[in-house]
Amino acid sequence: MSCFIKNSSSKADIRLDNINVYDYINERFVHFLSDCLDWISSIRFLDGFNKFTFWWMCDLFKEYKRVKGDNSLPHLISLFAPFPNMVPLPDTLYFPDFFDFTFRSQCQQDKVAIPEHREAFQDLRRCLLSSLLDALREGQRRYTWYYKCMVDCGDLNDFNESLRLTNNEVHIDPTWTEETLKTMSCFIKSSSSKADIRVDYIGDYDYINEGFVHFLSDCLDWISSIRFLFGFDDDTFWRMCDLFKEYKRVKGDNSLQHLISLFAPFPNMVPSPEFDNDDFFDFTFLSQCQQDKVTVPQYREAFQDLRRCVLSSLLESVRYVGLLISRV
């Protein structure tokens, strides 16, 4: 087919048929498009854009970048334009990499010389952001996913507008890649106001990676507060302590005091988790926060608040265990 198209007397309008949720992008199709890109005038779906075809197209862009890795991706994107104002979001069960729009790295405005290609990318970017924002308003998605899209294909103007819409809240997933967290850090440090960080759910098997530690350290002075999206409980509170331990290990400086203060105030008490973690009772990170070492009153007060919460929570756990033993 590629040979026929390249030897034809006119450019071809490609029409893609029968795209469904279980289809995947294979490399042969990527090589086909790349091989005859200059002989194609447009690419359309027979069924138009819908909640399957639009996101399948985004998967195609990701796969194209992975396989080809050249600067012809903006050309391919332009062949699918124009894009709709908004599209429904699919069931993410079928799209495990749904919120990966890193293919945009080859389509930034300063990297795209041809106006038609640049305009198509801006059109796609607008559609992505408006579709996610509409889903948020309908309560179908979390803001973390919107901010992930923002980092992948937005710009500082979009970021500042998002801060306005969310009252300066920036929703973060600590498991994001180091590249994503670095871009988010640049946005925060260049934004028009300080950010209130909201940390999304951390799973039982997730770990605190160094990328998240470096992200916090890099933009610490541009953050006004840090909160967990669902508040403190027997998981998030102790995961926060894990973060403090990892921060001290990686950074080793006195900025840990500042970081702790951003999580304050702390609750009077939290339930203690199961004691199957060998490192659970490691609170050596507090050594950098002793009263005689902390000069900023706000930091000292936050440390005392954290210390009180840790001790009262552990004491309550000991009492509870003692009560159970007494009943045996």
Side-chain angles (χ1 to χ4, degrees), residues 127-313:
C127 179
L128 288 170
L129 292 173
S130 61
S131 299
L132 279 171
L133 189 58
D134 184 66
L136 290 170
R137 289 168 178 162
E138 296 294 326
Q140 298 174 5
R141 297 293 183 269
R142 294 209 292 267
Y143 273 99
T144 309
W145 298 343
Y146 175 69
Y147 272 104
K148 175 63 166 64
C149 180
M150 171 74 57
V151 171
D152 283 345
C153 61
D155 58 22
L156 185 58
N157 290 331
D158 291 323
F159 184 77
N160 282 326
E161 176 63 14
S162 297
L163 284 181
R164 186 187 68 80
L165 292 173
T166 59
N167 295 320
N168 293 335
E169 289 186 0
V170 177
H171 294 241
I172 300 289
D173 184 337
T175 64
W176 283 346
T177 66
E178 188 171 350
E179 179 187 2
T180 298
L181 289 168
K182 280 182 178 179
T183 305
M184 177 59 82
S185 176
C186 291
F187 278 157
I188 290 175
K189 293 194 297 185
S190 302
S191 64
S192 54
S193 57
K194 283 191 173 184
D196 292 309
I197 300 296
R198 297 297 176 260
V199 181
D200 204 352
Y201 173 75
I202 302 178
D204 293 338
Y205 299 102
D206 293 332
Y207 63 94
I208 308 298
N209 60 56
E210 288 195 15
F212 187 54
V213 168
H214 289 303
F215 159 75
L216 291 173
S217 173
D218 189 42
C219 56
L220 209 56
D221 292 329
W222 288 266
I223 299 174
S224 57
S225 71
I226 304 176
R227 300 285 183 272
F228 289 100
L229 200 56
F230 303 108
F232 283 126
D233 57 27
D234 61 339
D235 186 28
T236 56
F237 181 84
W238 303 108
R239 298 308 296 276
M240 175 194 68
C241 291
D242 285 339
L243 169 63
F244 294 158
K245 287 185 284 188
E246 184 68 5
Y247 191 96
K248 179 192 173 187
R249 184 190 71 80
V250 174
K251 302 304 297 182
D253 57 23
N254 58 8
S255 63
L256 175 61
Q257 306 161 5
H258 187 174
L259 176 63
I260 290 175
S261 72
L262 295 178
F263 280 91
F266 302 104
N268 293 327
M269 189 183 302
V270 291
S272 295
E274 297 293 332
F275 298 142
D276 58 355
N277 185 346
D278 294 338
D279 298 325
F280 176 74
F281 293 103
D282 177 12
F283 299 108
T284 52
F285 63 86
L286 294 175
S287 64
Q288 291 183 329
C289 303
Q290 296 299 330
Q291 190 165 350
D292 60 340
K293 297 181 180 180
V294 182
T295 58
V296 180
Q298 178 186 356
Y299 300 170
R300 186 162 58 242
E301 182 179 347
F303 164 68
Q304 294 297 335
D305 195 25
L306 172 62
R307 173 177 165 275
R308 173 191 50 74
C309 180
V310 169
L311 291 175
S312 61
S313 299

Side-chain angles (χ1 to χ4, degrees), residues 62-74:
K62 288 184 284 189
E63 185 66 6
Y64 190 95
K65 179 191 173 186
R66 186 191 70 81
V67 174
K68 302 304 296 181
D70 57 22
N71 58 7
S72 62
L73 178 59

